[in-house]
Amino acid sequence: MEHTLSLTKQKATRPTMADRLQRWLPKIVMAPTMLVTVVCIYGFMLWTFYLSLTNSRFLPSFNFAGLLQYEKLLDNDRWVTSVTNLGIFGLMFMLIAIVLGVALAILLDQNIRQEGAIRTIYLYPMALSFIVTGTAWKWILNPGLGIEKLMHDWGFTDFQFNWLVSQDMAIYTVVIAAVWQSSGFVMAMFLAGLRGIDSSIIKAAQMDGASMPAIYWKIILPCLRPVFFSAVIITSHIAIKSFDLVTALTAGGPGYSSDLPALFMYAHSFTRGQLGLGAASAMMMLAGVLAILVPYLYSELREKQS
Amino acid sequence: MKKQRTSAQKQSVFKKSLLAITFAAATSVTHAGEVEVLHWWTSGGEAKSAAVLKQMLENQGDSWKDFAVAGGGGESAMTVLKTRAVSGNPPSAAQIKGHDIQEWGDLGFLTSLDDVAKAGHWDDILPSVVTKVMKYDGDYVAVPVNVHRVNWLWANPEVFKKAGTSVPTNMKEFFAAADKIKAAGFIPLAHGGQPWQDATLFEAVALDVLGSEDYNKAFVDLDMKVLSGPKMVETFATFQRIHNYIDDNSPGRDWNIATNMVIYGEAAMQIMGDWAKGEFAAAGKTPGQDYICAPAPGTANQFTFNIDSFAFFKLSNQDNQVAQKHLAKTILDKDFQEVFNLNKGSIPVRLDMNMDKFDKCALDSMSTFKASAKTGDLVPSMAHGLATTSYVQGAIFDVVTNFFNDRSADPKQAAQQLARAVKAAL
């Protein structure tokens, strides 16, 4: 308030100065955050790219090494494993979380009693840190402590559920934990979307004699297209940046069978003194993010124009 | 009212002057300077040991600025240290060990401690294997705190009695005993399935199969012939066979939980460095009676060492430089060596120590340490970063842990992979 007051006073005396100030004020106000963003995000991105082209080991070095680090990376068994894992984990997590989220949202949309309470119960896992989720599921899935032992204690001695300690299946336990945590959140997004749909369309369809499943399949779900899009973007970025969940749940093990690119990057940059290789893996991850983000931004911008 | 106020005023004046006097006294004492020490001794016995060092320095008039960064193997601490060092504000000393000392030396961050070393006759009181690690380019740049023996076997005698067998001294006996223990319904070997623990076990097997000379060739000289040779294949084969005697729940388990399995008679043995002794001590067990410490099978006269040490950084402030030298001297002080190592389960790095207060395991460790230093059987631990650089170590970890967790892996192929991975990391 004081600012505007002083501005108007100035305007009375020297109009040109105030005009100029008014024109520049938004830019000046935005400048610090802009500077921080440009330096700390885009600047460091370029810096990482530069590092990935050097032979940096322990500390950053400036000896240009061409694409050596990328060659090393593609030749690295552990990197190949971690990228494959990201593919398995990312796709399964997104698919299951969205299908489950939509299903829960539709069920919850049937005007049931105590909806608020149920919604909160489903949404609540999202309030936990992935570290907590990982640790809890580590106990639940451990054959000697969790589900398998429980079933054995109940007399089902043939029951086997040892995914957590099996090299082939460990990555799927990560999917289970991530789905458990995130599907409630996806549900909340879709529930909001469902509430936003004009009920007169549904009533009109009902008048025409359409069955409830047909209405959902042909009318409501297509209307939720933008929500699907946001859900994909959000879950995919949860998948790509996933680090804490795996760290707490399997620590990339057994062996490195449930390793993910983020874990690979951290291990090589910060504990193994392979900054160059770590930077190269970070750039590969960035490329993955861009591959999703660019089409999304493109479609968003095109929609706005039309 | 008035009277009271004046007395209060008088009191405050008195207090102020007293304060001034103490300040003057304090400044005259602490003139020596300040040491800032980066370490990750944040848990129980370790924190106690750090407190001892702090007290000893403060008694000499230096002030101690603690720079403890929590987090296991010091990963986060190293990241903080790199930022501080690059920005020109390194601490006086940091907990850096093994090959990383050479890396920091290469980058030109470390200061020479040769005058302190000469005054303290470090060359005479420390074994040459140790001094080699502490020197960069012929100058002392780091000070060792302790020596851990890594190739230990911890055993629960009660389980052995129930299974009707005895603590194995070589691999053949190990497998025979393990079969009996398994038949008796116990877990033969407690193990935590984390990469560094897999590597610790692998290293113990490698020391037995390869022998000290080839062990050094493989993990110190990185000789490709030995790394992919027939003896390495045999090492992998034996290593794989051991997996049959480990319970299925081991992946991701912490080492101390595995130790507790031995303490409470769930498992018979664990192959782990002597820091495991701390767990037995914390559970109130006596060595020789409640638990047995024996060399890892087949490595009785060999000693895989892991040394904790502090590297010293170049400082600009002269008072702090003096304090830094005090710190270097104090770490090798006999009193500190004794108290610290009693707390940590390791043995003193000085060869001229009075070992009266140490237990049987430490005495065994010390005598093997001295004997093996002469015969060339004192070898650096690969799993704990004393043998190679962190990047080669990481490459070995990847191959070893991946092999160990894949029950159908081929030992021949693993040896080839090992050589290839090491070559790629160089």
Side-chain angles (χ1 to χ4, degrees):
Chain A
M1 282 309 272
E2 266 182 358
H3 279 280
T4 48
L5 260 175
S6 62
L7 269 179
T8 46
K9 258 183 201 165
Q10 275 185 357
K11 205 174 184 175
T13 50
R14 292 176 65 182
T16 49
M17 180 72 183
D19 272 352
R20 220 175 292 155
L21 195 66
Q22 208 153 35
R23 204 161 359 111
W24 281 98
L25 198 61
K27 289 176 182 124
I28 294 168
V29 172
M30 289 302 289
T33 43
M34 188 70 182
L35 191 75
V36 169
T37 312
V38 166
V39 171
C40 292
I41 307 244
Y42 300 97
F44 285 155
M45 249 181 222
L46 287 175
W47 172 242
T48 308
F49 178 61
Y50 181 72
L51 279 184
S52 75
L53 299 176
T54 64
N55 65 350
S56 305
R57 279 248 153 111
F58 202 65
L59 286 176
S61 91
F62 305 101
N63 298 327
F64 191 70
L67 293 174
L68 178 76
Q69 303 289 6
Y70 291 91
E71 275 168 39
K72 273 190 179 176
L73 195 64
L74 295 178
D75 198 33
N76 190 318
D77 286 342
R78 185 169 165 184
W79 172 253
V80 175
T81 308
S82 65
V83 171
T84 321
N85 279 341
L86 180 61
I88 297 173
F89 167 65
L91 287 178
M92 290 198 67
F93 162 63
M94 279 159 64
L95 199 75
I96 300 176
I98 290 176
V99 169
L100 215 62
V102 171
L104 285 174
I106 290 174
L107 293 179
L108 204 57
D109 196 32
Q110 310 303 317
N111 287 327
I112 49 177
R113 265 191 287 169
Q114 297 297 325
E115 188 204 301
I118 295 171
R119 194 176 53 206
T120 312
I121 289 169
Y122 275 119
L123 190 58
Y124 207 73
M126 196 69 186
L128 296 178
S129 148
F130 265 119
I131 293 281
V132 178
T133 306
T135 311
W137 279 94
K138 186 178 167 179
W139 293 329
I140 297 170
L141 295 171
N142 187 306
L145 289 171
I147 296 176
E148 188 174 300
K149 185 170 182 293
L150 184 75
M151 292 310 244
H152 286 192
D153 289 350
W154 282 353
F156 305 98
T157 45
D158 290 338
F159 183 84
Q160 256 207 333
F161 189 67
N162 59 356
W163 287 9
L164 187 72
V165 295
S166 145
Q167 217 174 8
D168 301 326
M169 304 306 283
I171 188 68
Y172 298 102
T173 61
V174 184
V175 177
I176 295 176
V179 165
W180 175 80
Q181 167 142 5
S182 302
S183 50
F185 170 68
V186 177
M187 177 205 75
M189 280 173 68
F190 276 100
L191 200 58
L194 284 171
R195 293 289 146 80
I197 289 173
D198 191 353
S199 59
S200 56
I201 308 175
I202 300 168
K203 276 186 188 132
Q206 276 172 333
M207 299 266 249
D208 288 344
S211 66
M212 228 29 211
I215 292 174
Y216 268 106
W217 189 247
K218 295 228 167 107
I219 300 171
I220 297 179
L221 289 182
C223 284
L224 291 176
R225 207 183 60 91
V227 185
F228 270 107
F229 223 88
S230 321
V232 167
I233 294 296
I234 290 173
T235 50
S236 66
H237 106 255
I238 290 178
I240 290 177
K241 73 174 188 188
S242 189
F243 178 86
D244 34 9
L245 179 64
V246 189
T247 305
L249 187 62
T250 64
Y256 52 76
S257 58
S258 58
D259 203 28
L260 288 179
L263 249 72
F264 181 95
M265 196 284 277
Y266 181 80
H268 284 79
S269 312
F270 300 119
T271 65
R272 288 190 181 179
Q274 296 260 51
L275 258 186
L277 196 67
S281 69
M283 289 318 291
M284 299 290 275
M285 282 164 67
L286 179 66
V289 174
L290 287 182
I292 298 171
L293 203 66
V294 167
Y296 170 67
L297 284 179
Y298 180 72
S299 75
E300 281 282 291
L301 291 176
R302 205 182 48 176
E303 251 170 45
K304 289 249 170 71
Q305 272 169 2
S306 66
Chain B
M1 275 298 273
K2 214 176 180 182
K3 243 184 187 174
Q4 262 182 356
R5 194 180 289 160
T6 49
S7 78
Q9 270 171 346
K10 260 185 200 164
Q11 237 176 21
S12 88
V13 167
F14 175 70
K15 262 187 190 163
K16 266 180 196 160
S17 56
L18 198 70
L19 216 66
I21 291 164
T22 45
F23 260 126
T27 44
S28 70
V29 173
T30 56
H31 188 68
E34 180 185 77
V35 284
E36 190 178 12
V37 183
L38 172 69
H39 63 90
W40 52 91
W41 289 327
T42 45
S43 75
E46 294 178 338
K48 230 191 278 172
S49 315
V52 172
L53 188 58
K54 177 184 173 180
Q55 193 56 52
M56 288 181 80
L57 270 168
E58 282 177 350
N59 288 349
Q60 294 180 40
D62 297 313
S63 61
W64 169 283
K65 193 169 164 194
D66 208 40
F67 184 8
V69 180
E75 288 165 14
S76 29
M78 278 302 117
T79 313
V80 178
L81 178 62
K82 280 177 200 164
T83 346
R84 288 274 308 258
V86 171
S87 64
N89 179 28
S92 312
Q95 202 183 340
I96 299 174
K97 69 179 193 183
H99 265 263
D100 286 350
I101 295 172
Q102 308 298 320
E103 297 262 343
W104 283 101
D106 261 340
L107 295 166
F109 282 112
L110 302 182
T111 181
S112 169
L113 299 168
D114 272 0
D115 43 347
V116 188
K118 210 166 265 171
H121 306 289
W122 289 6
D123 278 329
D124 302 328
I125 57 170
L126 303 175
S128 62
V129 189
V130 176
T131 57
K132 218 163 65 185
V133 181
M134 299 304 139
K135 282 178 184 173
Y136 173 74
D137 208 12
D139 289 347
Y140 277 99
V141 289
V143 186
V145 189
N146 61 354
V147 178
H148 281 293
R149 186 183 191 183
V150 186
N151 58 329
W152 272 120
L153 178 81
W154 305 93
N156 186 326
E158 211 172 303
V159 178
F160 275 90
K161 209 193 277 167
K162 280 182 194 156
T165 179
S166 55
V167 179
T169 57
N170 57 41
M171 269 298 159
K172 213 174 148 196
E173 286 178 27
F174 174 85
F175 287 120
D179 277 328
K180 279 191 183 163
I181 294 162
K182 208 175 182 181
F186 298 100
I187 299 164
L189 189 68
H191 181 68
Q194 292 170 337
W196 72 269
Q197 294 190 59
D198 292 342
T200 303
L201 185 58
F202 176 76
E203 171 183 281
V205 178
L207 188 63
D208 173 35
V209 178
L210 296 174
S212 307
E213 199 180 320
D214 275 356
Y215 175 96
N216 276 329
K217 270 189 193 162
F219 300 122
V220 181
D221 308 335
L222 305 175
D223 183 333
M224 291 300 146
K225 262 190 221 149
V226 181
L227 280 171
S228 61
K231 270 183 166 177
M232 191 57 83
V233 176
E234 198 191 324
T235 305
F236 272 109
T238 312
F239 184 49
Q240 192 170 36
R241 209 174 141 199
I242 292 177
H243 202 295
N244 299 328
Y245 302 99
I246 292 170
D247 65 314
D248 290 338
N249 299 331
S250 72
R253 181 187 285 150
D254 285 321
W255 68 270
N256 51 331
I257 295 175
T259 310
N260 274 289
M261 289 166 67
V262 178
I263 294 175
Y264 296 108
E266 206 179 316
M269 302 173 265
Q270 184 188 19
I271 291 177
M272 182 50 62
D274 49 17
W275 46 91
K277 203 166 71 183
E279 294 292 308
F280 285 99
K285 307 282 178 187
T286 4
Q289 188 183 329
D290 302 317
Y291 67 98
I292 291 169
C293 48
T299 65
N301 297 316
Q302 291 160 302
F303 192 109
T304 328
F305 67 84
N306 174 20
I307 302 173
D308 287 323
S309 53
F310 280 106
F312 285 71
F313 285 80
K314 278 181 189 155
L315 298 177
S316 49
N317 183 318
Q318 259 176 356
D319 286 343
N320 290 353
Q321 280 175 9
V322 174
Q324 190 182 33
K325 300 252 155 96
H326 287 164
L327 175 69
K329 189 172 151 279
T330 311
I331 289 173
L332 277 176
D333 191 283
K334 280 187 178 173
D335 289 338
F336 174 71
Q337 285 280 322
E338 181 176 281
V339 177
F340 180 86
N341 288 303
L342 282 172
N343 278 336
K344 194 145 190 268
S346 43
I347 56 169
V349 67
R350 290 180 71 137
L351 294 172
D352 57 347
M353 289 281 295
N354 176 7
M355 296 288 287
D356 285 352
K357 286 189 184 156
F358 288 86
D359 63 12
K360 190 185 157 293
C361 299
L363 292 176
D364 279 2
S365 188
M366 195 66 179
S367 67
T368 318
F369 179 58
K370 284 179 181 167
S372 62
K374 285 178 192 136
T375 58
D377 287 315
L378 183 59
V379 298
S381 164
M382 175 274 293
H384 298 275
L386 271 295
T388 60
T389 53
S390 52
Y391 24 99
V392 171
Q393 185 197 15
I396 297 176
F397 273 23
D398 278 351
V399 174
V400 165
T401 188
N402 197 42
F403 172 83
F404 197 56
N405 284 287
D406 183 1
R407 301 303 298 277
S408 59
D410 177 22
K412 254 187 207 160
Q413 224 178 324
Q416 296 291 339
Q417 272 175 348
L418 184 67
R420 220 184 61 209
V422 168
K423 210 172 181 179
L426 281 176

